[in-house]
Amino acid sequence: MEWRNKHIYLCGFMGSGKTTIGRLLADRLKRPFTDTDEQIEKISGQSIPAIFEQYGEPEFRRIEKALVRRIAADNIPSVIALGGGSLMDEESLSVVRATGLLVFLDCSMDRIIERVNPSSRPLFKTERLTDLLNQRLPGYRQASWILDTSHISPEQTTEKLMVWLHEVKSTIEKSL
Ligand code: S3P
């Protein structure tokens, strides 16, 4: 796949660094950056916890799915940070894989717990995190590249992504 005309999607669990790294990567590539959670908050005028609280998770997922489709259809190649649960939806996973390169930012549970502010993530309080992560891993592992962010800085992760993107043609050809 020629990635230069495609989106670059970052997936992974809450706290894996998708937003911070996505911004840095977009800067380096001189591309627009979109964070699906930020977009949902902007469109709805409400915070993610407020949406969960008032309308429930199914409504949040409906908005998230529609947004992923809309972003995927945009023909300006962007860097996109996906919400941690978005790829549980099979159609979203297919759309993402068809329209870009998917990178999984992996992270240890210890680091996730250190990094995440539970008040901003409704599921952080209510779900058993390891179970939740295990449910998500099959989707995350559909990525073309998996990068462990547990012990490296966002800048180092971004640098690794840049190096990988320069090599990506041969990497992807090998994985086909
Ligand atoms: C969620 C992750 C959050 C946000 C929402 C649900 C999840 O995004 O979409 O709180 O289901 O894992 P981040 O992965 O950006 O934290």
Side-chain angles (χ1 to χ4, degrees):
M1 183 199 286
E2 175 50 74
W3 65 271
R4 284 176 200 283
N5 300 319
K6 304 268 181 182
H7 296 310
I8 297 169
Y9 295 96
L10 304 181
C11 73
F13 208 58
M14 297 171 258
S16 56
K18 292 163 292 181
T19 305
T20 309
I21 293 158
R23 267 210 184 90
L24 291 170
L25 185 65
D27 268 7
R28 293 281 296 269
L29 294 171
K30 302 195 177 11
R31 286 178 171 217
F33 171 68
T34 304
D35 176 277
T36 57
D37 290 333
E38 282 176 9
Q39 281 296 314
I40 291 171
E41 292 188 327
K42 208 158 134 189
I43 295 163
S44 67
Q46 282 177 296
S47 69
I48 304 286
I51 298 170
F52 269 73
E53 176 83 26
Q54 281 192 39
Y55 306 104
E57 183 175 350
E59 178 60 8
F60 172 78
R61 296 298 172 201
R62 193 194 62 74
I63 301 169
E64 183 179 52
K65 179 174 177 170
L67 180 66
V68 169
R69 283 194 160 262
R70 176 136 51 92
I71 292 169
D74 191 329
N75 50 26
I76 300 172
S78 305
V79 175
I80 298 147
L82 295 164
S86 56
L87 297 185
M88 289 299 284
D89 179 79
E90 297 264 328
E91 271 180 54
S92 297
L93 180 58
S94 313
V95 165
V96 161
R97 281 169 49 85
T99 55
L101 265 187
L102 179 61
V103 176
F104 169 26
L105 299 182
D106 200 0
C107 189
S108 71
M109 191 48 80
D110 289 350
R111 296 290 287 141
I112 286 169
I113 290 165
E114 276 168 31
R115 285 179 190 170
V116 172
N117 168 6
S119 68
S120 65
R121 308 300 206 289
L123 294 180
F124 218 77
K125 289 180 278 191
T126 55
E127 302 266 352
R128 291 183 55 207
L129 294 178
T130 305
D131 291 347
L132 198 59
L133 176 60
N134 287 335
Q135 287 163 24
R136 268 101 189 258
L137 282 174
Y140 297 159
R141 287 187 176 142
Q142 300 288 316
S144 301
W145 203 41
I146 300 177
L147 183 52
D148 193 336
T149 68
S150 310
H151 304 294
I152 55 174
S153 68
E155 289 74 15
Q156 288 168 314
T157 307
T158 307
E159 190 53 43
K160 281 179 185 274
L161 281 166
M162 290 298 291
V163 171
W164 176 69
L165 285 169
H166 283 106
E167 292 168 356
V168 81
K169 264 192 126 176
S170 60
T171 312
I172 287 181
E173 275 157 16
K174 266 188 246 154
S175 73
L176 288 176

PDB file of all heavy atoms in Angstrom, residues 3 8 21 31 35 37-38 54 63 75-76 81 90 106 115 117-118 135 142-143 146 168-169:
ATOM      1  N   TRP A   3       1.358   4.515   1.345  1.00  0.00           N
ATOM      2  CA  TRP A   3       0.749   5.181   2.501  1.00  0.00           C
ATOM      3  C   TRP A   3       0.636   6.681   2.348  1.00  0.00           C
ATOM      4  O   TRP A   3      -0.147   7.325   3.030  1.00  0.00           O
ATOM      5  CB  TRP A   3       1.515   4.839   3.784  1.00  0.00           C
ATOM      6  CG  TRP A   3       2.926   5.344   3.825  1.00  0.00           C
ATOM      7  CD1 TRP A   3       4.019   4.681   3.380  1.00  0.00           C
ATOM      8  CD2 TRP A   3       3.378   6.607   4.301  1.00  0.00           C
ATOM      9  NE1 TRP A   3       5.131   5.446   3.550  1.00  0.00           N
ATOM     10  CE2 TRP A   3       4.766   6.647   4.122  1.00  0.00           C
ATOM     11  CE3 TRP A   3       2.747   7.720   4.871  1.00  0.00           C
ATOM     12  CZ2 TRP A   3       5.547   7.739   4.475  1.00  0.00           C
ATOM     13  CZ3 TRP A   3       3.520   8.816   5.223  1.00  0.00           C
ATOM     14  CH2 TRP A   3       4.893   8.818   5.027  1.00  0.00           C
ATOM     15  N   ILE A   8      -3.275   7.707   8.376  1.00  0.00           N
ATOM     16  CA  ILE A   8      -2.540   6.877   9.336  1.00  0.00           C
ATOM     17  C   ILE A   8      -3.385   6.868  10.601  1.00  0.00           C
ATOM     18  O   ILE A   8      -3.664   7.927  11.180  1.00  0.00           O
ATOM     19  CB  ILE A   8      -1.136   7.436   9.623  1.00  0.00           C
ATOM     20  CG1 ILE A   8      -0.321   7.406   8.337  1.00  0.00           C
ATOM     21  CG2 ILE A   8      -0.439   6.615  10.721  1.00  0.00           C
ATOM     22  CD1 ILE A   8       0.975   8.163   8.407  1.00  0.00           C
ATOM     23  N   ILE A  21       0.959  11.268  20.613  1.00  0.00           N
ATOM     24  CA  ILE A  21       1.833  10.803  19.530  1.00  0.00           C
ATOM     25  C   ILE A  21       1.232  11.187  18.169  1.00  0.00           C
ATOM     26  O   ILE A  21       1.945  11.598  17.254  1.00  0.00           O
ATOM     27  CB  ILE A  21       2.068   9.280  19.663  1.00  0.00           C
ATOM     28  CG1 ILE A  21       2.886   9.027  20.936  1.00  0.00           C
ATOM     29  CG2 ILE A  21       2.764   8.709  18.432  1.00  0.00           C
ATOM     30  CD1 ILE A  21       2.773   7.645  21.504  1.00  0.00           C
ATOM     31  N   ARG A  31       0.599  16.940   8.270  1.00  0.00           N
ATOM     32  CA  ARG A  31      -0.762  16.502   7.952  1.00  0.00           C
ATOM     33  C   ARG A  31      -1.721  17.014   9.010  1.00  0.00           C
ATOM     34  O   ARG A  31      -1.304  17.248  10.143  1.00  0.00           O
ATOM     35  CB  ARG A  31      -0.854  14.975   8.042  1.00  0.00           C
ATOM     36  CG  ARG A  31      -0.216  14.229   6.927  1.00  0.00           C
ATOM     37  CD  ARG A  31      -0.368  12.751   7.220  1.00  0.00           C
ATOM     38  NE  ARG A  31       0.053  11.968   6.082  1.00  0.00           N
ATOM     39  CZ  ARG A  31      -0.536  10.846   5.693  1.00  0.00           C
ATOM     40  NH1 ARG A  31      -1.545  10.359   6.372  1.00  0.00           N
ATOM     41  NH2 ARG A  31      -0.101  10.191   4.649  1.00  0.00           N
ATOM     42  N   ASP A  35      -8.578  13.640  16.411  1.00  0.00           N
ATOM     43  CA  ASP A  35      -8.760  12.716  17.526  1.00  0.00           C
ATOM     44  C   ASP A  35     -10.267  12.470  17.620  1.00  0.00           C
ATOM     45  O   ASP A  35     -11.035  13.430  17.741  1.00  0.00           O
ATOM     46  CB  ASP A  35      -8.232  13.384  18.795  1.00  0.00           C
ATOM     47  CG  ASP A  35      -8.467  12.529  20.019  1.00  0.00           C
ATOM     48  OD1 ASP A  35      -9.578  12.579  20.568  1.00  0.00           O
ATOM     49  OD2 ASP A  35      -7.547  11.801  20.400  1.00  0.00           O
ATOM     50  N   ASP A  37     -12.240  11.256  19.855  1.00  0.00           N
ATOM     51  CA  ASP A  37     -12.914  11.707  21.087  1.00  0.00           C
ATOM     52  C   ASP A  37     -13.085  13.231  21.097  1.00  0.00           C
ATOM     53  O   ASP A  37     -14.147  13.742  21.456  1.00  0.00           O
ATOM     54  CB  ASP A  37     -12.117  11.293  22.330  1.00  0.00           C
ATOM     55  CG  ASP A  37     -12.165   9.791  22.562  1.00  0.00           C
ATOM     56  OD1 ASP A  37     -13.151   9.162  22.148  1.00  0.00           O
ATOM     57  OD2 ASP A  37     -11.216   9.254  23.151  1.00  0.00           O
ATOM     58  N   GLU A  38     -12.022  13.930  20.690  1.00  0.00           N
ATOM     59  CA  GLU A  38     -12.118  15.397  20.659  1.00  0.00           C
ATOM     60  C   GLU A  38     -13.207  15.853  19.685  1.00  0.00           C
ATOM     61  O   GLU A  38     -13.947  16.794  19.960  1.00  0.00           O
ATOM     62  CB  GLU A  38     -10.777  16.012  20.232  1.00  0.00           C
ATOM     63  CG  GLU A  38      -9.760  16.040  21.348  1.00  0.00           C
ATOM     64  CD  GLU A  38      -8.395  16.559  20.890  1.00  0.00           C
ATOM     65  OE1 GLU A  38      -8.260  17.063  19.744  1.00  0.00           O
ATOM     66  OE2 GLU A  38      -7.450  16.439  21.675  1.00  0.00           O
ATOM     67  N   GLN A  54     -25.367  10.609  30.212  1.00  0.00           N
ATOM     68  CA  GLN A  54     -26.730  10.999  29.807  1.00  0.00           C
ATOM     69  C   GLN A  54     -27.370  10.054  28.820  1.00  0.00           C
ATOM     70  O   GLN A  54     -28.563   9.816  28.872  1.00  0.00           O
ATOM     71  CB  GLN A  54     -26.690  12.377  29.143  1.00  0.00           C
ATOM     72  CG  GLN A  54     -26.609  13.500  30.133  1.00  0.00           C
ATOM     73  CD  GLN A  54     -26.864  14.826  29.414  1.00  0.00           C
ATOM     74  OE1 GLN A  54     -27.704  14.922  28.546  1.00  0.00           O
ATOM     75  NE2 GLN A  54     -26.100  15.827  29.783  1.00  0.00           N
ATOM     76  N   ILE A  63     -22.350   7.313  17.633  1.00  0.00           N
ATOM     77  CA  ILE A  63     -21.732   8.568  17.161  1.00  0.00           C
ATOM     78  C   ILE A  63     -20.301   8.282  16.688  1.00  0.00           C
ATOM     79  O   ILE A  63     -19.853   8.758  15.644  1.00  0.00           O
ATOM     80  CB  ILE A  63     -21.710   9.624  18.293  1.00  0.00           C
ATOM     81  CG1 ILE A  63     -23.118   9.928  18.797  1.00  0.00           C
ATOM     82  CG2 ILE A  63     -21.019  10.901  17.849  1.00  0.00           C
ATOM     83  CD1 ILE A  63     -23.165  10.759  20.087  1.00  0.00           C
ATOM     84  N   ASN A  75     -10.789  12.806   1.813  1.00  0.00           N
ATOM     85  CA  ASN A  75      -9.627  12.427   0.998  1.00  0.00           C
ATOM     86  C   ASN A  75      -8.361  13.230   1.263  1.00  0.00           C
ATOM     87  O   ASN A  75      -7.373  13.073   0.575  1.00  0.00           O
ATOM     88  CB  ASN A  75      -9.971  12.342  -0.502  1.00  0.00           C
ATOM     89  CG  ASN A  75     -10.692  13.572  -0.948  1.00  0.00           C
ATOM     90  OD1 ASN A  75     -10.513  14.633  -0.336  1.00  0.00           O
ATOM     91  ND2 ASN A  75     -11.524  13.448  -1.974  1.00  0.00           N
ATOM     92  N   ILE A  76      -8.357  14.026   2.322  1.00  0.00           N
ATOM     93  CA  ILE A  76      -7.091  14.651   2.740  1.00  0.00           C
ATOM     94  C   ILE A  76      -6.418  13.680   3.710  1.00  0.00           C
ATOM     95  O   ILE A  76      -6.960  13.403   4.791  1.00  0.00           O
ATOM     96  CB  ILE A  76      -7.323  15.999   3.441  1.00  0.00           C
ATOM     97  CG1 ILE A  76      -8.036  16.964   2.485  1.00  0.00           C
ATOM     98  CG2 ILE A  76      -6.011  16.593   3.942  1.00  0.00           C
ATOM     99  CD1 ILE A  76      -8.490  18.250   3.133  1.00  0.00           C
ATOM    100  N   ALA A  81      -6.269   9.632  15.639  1.00  0.00           N
ATOM    101  CA  ALA A  81      -6.224   8.871  16.893  1.00  0.00           C
ATOM    102  C   ALA A  81      -7.630   8.331  17.148  1.00  0.00           C
ATOM    103  O   ALA A  81      -8.590   9.096  17.272  1.00  0.00           O
ATOM    104  CB  ALA A  81      -5.792   9.782  18.042  1.00  0.00           C
ATOM    105  N   GLU A  90     -16.909  -4.133  13.886  1.00  0.00           N
ATOM    106  CA  GLU A  90     -16.286  -4.795  12.728  1.00  0.00           C
ATOM    107  C   GLU A  90     -16.251  -3.890  11.495  1.00  0.00           C
ATOM    108  O   GLU A  90     -15.259  -3.873  10.768  1.00  0.00           O
ATOM    109  CB  GLU A  90     -17.076  -6.055  12.357  1.00  0.00           C
ATOM    110  CG  GLU A  90     -17.071  -7.114  13.448  1.00  0.00           C
ATOM    111  CD  GLU A  90     -15.994  -8.149  13.229  1.00  0.00           C
ATOM    112  OE1 GLU A  90     -15.688  -8.417  12.066  1.00  0.00           O
ATOM    113  OE2 GLU A  90     -15.462  -8.669  14.236  1.00  0.00           O
ATOM    114  N   ASP A 106       0.870  -0.209  21.638  1.00  0.00           N
ATOM    115  CA  ASP A 106       0.681  -1.134  22.755  1.00  0.00           C
ATOM    116  C   ASP A 106       1.258  -0.498  24.023  1.00  0.00           C
ATOM    117  O   ASP A 106       2.128   0.382  23.943  1.00  0.00           O
ATOM    118  CB  ASP A 106       1.435  -2.445  22.436  1.00  0.00           C
ATOM    119  CG  ASP A 106       0.930  -3.610  23.260  1.00  0.00           C
ATOM    120  OD1 ASP A 106       0.004  -3.440  24.073  1.00  0.00           O
ATOM    121  OD2 ASP A 106       1.489  -4.719  23.083  1.00  0.00           O
ATOM    122  N   ARG A 115      -0.932   6.467  33.726  1.00  0.00           N
ATOM    123  CA  ARG A 115      -1.141   7.608  32.816  1.00  0.00           C
ATOM    124  C   ARG A 115      -2.562   8.157  32.784  1.00  0.00           C
ATOM    125  O   ARG A 115      -2.756   9.340  32.520  1.00  0.00           O
ATOM    126  CB  ARG A 115      -0.812   7.177  31.376  1.00  0.00           C
ATOM    127  CG  ARG A 115       0.663   7.042  31.087  1.00  0.00           C
ATOM    128  CD  ARG A 115       0.827   6.581  29.642  1.00  0.00           C
ATOM    129  NE  ARG A 115       2.179   6.202  29.325  1.00  0.00           N
ATOM    130  CZ  ARG A 115       2.529   5.595  28.200  1.00  0.00           C
ATOM    131  NH1 ARG A 115       1.631   5.308  27.299  1.00  0.00           N
ATOM    132  NH2 ARG A 115       3.780   5.294  27.974  1.00  0.00           N
ATOM    133  N   ASN A 117      -6.232   9.496  33.611  1.00  0.00           N
ATOM    134  CA  ASN A 117      -7.037  10.160  34.627  1.00  0.00           C
ATOM    135  C   ASN A 117      -8.433   9.524  34.581  1.00  0.00           C
ATOM    136  O   ASN A 117      -9.178   9.737  33.620  1.00  0.00           O
ATOM    137  CB  ASN A 117      -7.094  11.656  34.278  1.00  0.00           C
ATOM    138  CG  ASN A 117      -8.136  12.382  35.102  1.00  0.00           C
ATOM    139  OD1 ASN A 117      -8.736  11.811  36.011  1.00  0.00           O
ATOM    140  ND2 ASN A 117      -8.355  13.642  34.770  1.00  0.00           N
ATOM    141  N   PRO A 118      -8.804   8.735  35.603  1.00  0.00           N
ATOM    142  CA  PRO A 118     -10.053   7.966  35.518  1.00  0.00           C
ATOM    143  C   PRO A 118     -11.288   8.838  35.333  1.00  0.00           C
ATOM    144  O   PRO A 118     -12.270   8.401  34.739  1.00  0.00           O
ATOM    145  CB  PRO A 118     -10.129   7.221  36.859  1.00  0.00           C
ATOM    146  CG  PRO A 118      -8.808   7.382  37.498  1.00  0.00           C
ATOM    147  CD  PRO A 118      -8.123   8.561  36.887  1.00  0.00           C
ATOM    148  N   GLN A 135     -10.481  -8.066  25.391  1.00  0.00           N
ATOM    149  CA  GLN A 135     -11.532  -8.048  24.359  1.00  0.00           C
ATOM    150  C   GLN A 135     -11.095  -7.224  23.146  1.00  0.00           C
ATOM    151  O   GLN A 135     -11.500  -7.490  22.032  1.00  0.00           O
ATOM    152  CB  GLN A 135     -12.811  -7.386  24.896  1.00  0.00           C
ATOM    153  CG  GLN A 135     -13.593  -8.200  25.890  1.00  0.00           C
ATOM    154  CD  GLN A 135     -14.583  -7.307  26.660  1.00  0.00           C
ATOM    155  OE1 GLN A 135     -14.994  -6.248  26.188  1.00  0.00           O
ATOM    156  NE2 GLN A 135     -14.944  -7.735  27.857  1.00  0.00           N
ATOM    157  N   GLN A 142      -5.001  -6.273  14.362  1.00  0.00           N
ATOM    158  CA  GLN A 142      -5.173  -6.219  12.902  1.00  0.00           C
ATOM    159  C   GLN A 142      -4.260  -5.152  12.303  1.00  0.00           C
ATOM    160  O   GLN A 142      -4.219  -4.965  11.095  1.00  0.00           O
ATOM    161  CB  GLN A 142      -6.613  -5.859  12.538  1.00  0.00           C
ATOM    162  CG  GLN A 142      -7.664  -6.818  13.047  1.00  0.00           C
ATOM    163  CD  GLN A 142      -7.651  -8.121  12.299  1.00  0.00           C
ATOM    164  OE1 GLN A 142      -7.559  -8.126  11.081  1.00  0.00           O
ATOM    165  NE2 GLN A 142      -7.693  -9.212  13.035  1.00  0.00           N
ATOM    166  N   ALA A 143      -3.560  -4.437  13.164  1.00  0.00           N
ATOM    167  CA  ALA A 143      -2.708  -3.335  12.687  1.00  0.00           C
ATOM    168  C   ALA A 143      -1.543  -3.839  11.846  1.00  0.00           C
ATOM    169  O   ALA A 143      -1.099  -4.981  11.999  1.00  0.00           O
ATOM    170  CB  ALA A 143      -2.176  -2.553  13.894  1.00  0.00           C
ATOM    171  N   ILE A 146       2.885  -2.843  15.244  1.00  0.00           N
ATOM    172  CA  ILE A 146       2.622  -2.766  16.685  1.00  0.00           C
ATOM    173  C   ILE A 146       3.860  -2.176  17.341  1.00  0.00           C
ATOM    174  O   ILE A 146       4.978  -2.640  17.100  1.00  0.00           O
ATOM    175  CB  ILE A 146       2.341  -4.179  17.265  1.00  0.00           C
ATOM    176  CG1 ILE A 146       1.120  -4.788  16.564  1.00  0.00           C
ATOM    177  CG2 ILE A 146       2.129  -4.110  18.782  1.00  0.00           C
ATOM    178  CD1 ILE A 146       0.774  -6.204  16.991  1.00  0.00           C
ATOM    179  N   VAL A 168       8.036   1.424   5.133  1.00  0.00           N
ATOM    180  CA  VAL A 168       6.784   0.685   5.208  1.00  0.00           C
ATOM    181  C   VAL A 168       6.473  -0.122   3.961  1.00  0.00           C
ATOM    182  O   VAL A 168       5.901  -1.192   4.051  1.00  0.00           O
ATOM    183  CB  VAL A 168       5.623   1.638   5.563  1.00  0.00           C
ATOM    184  CG1 VAL A 168       5.136   2.388   4.354  1.00  0.00           C
ATOM    185  CG2 VAL A 168       4.491   0.906   6.227  1.00  0.00           C
ATOM    186  N   LYS A 169       6.893   0.359   2.835  1.00  0.00           N
ATOM    187  CA  LYS A 169       6.541  -0.365   1.617  1.00  0.00           C
ATOM    188  C   LYS A 169       7.018  -1.807   1.686  1.00  0.00           C
ATOM    189  O   LYS A 169       6.232  -2.732   1.512  1.00  0.00           O
ATOM    190  CB  LYS A 169       7.139   0.329   0.398  1.00  0.00           C
ATOM    191  CG  LYS A 169       6.160   1.248  -0.278  1.00  0.00           C
ATOM    192  CD  LYS A 169       6.646   1.685  -1.600  1.00  0.00           C
ATOM    193  CE  LYS A 169       5.585   1.368  -2.641  1.00  0.00           C
ATOM    194  NZ  LYS A 169       5.925   1.825  -3.948  1.00  0.00           N
TER     195      LYS A 169
END
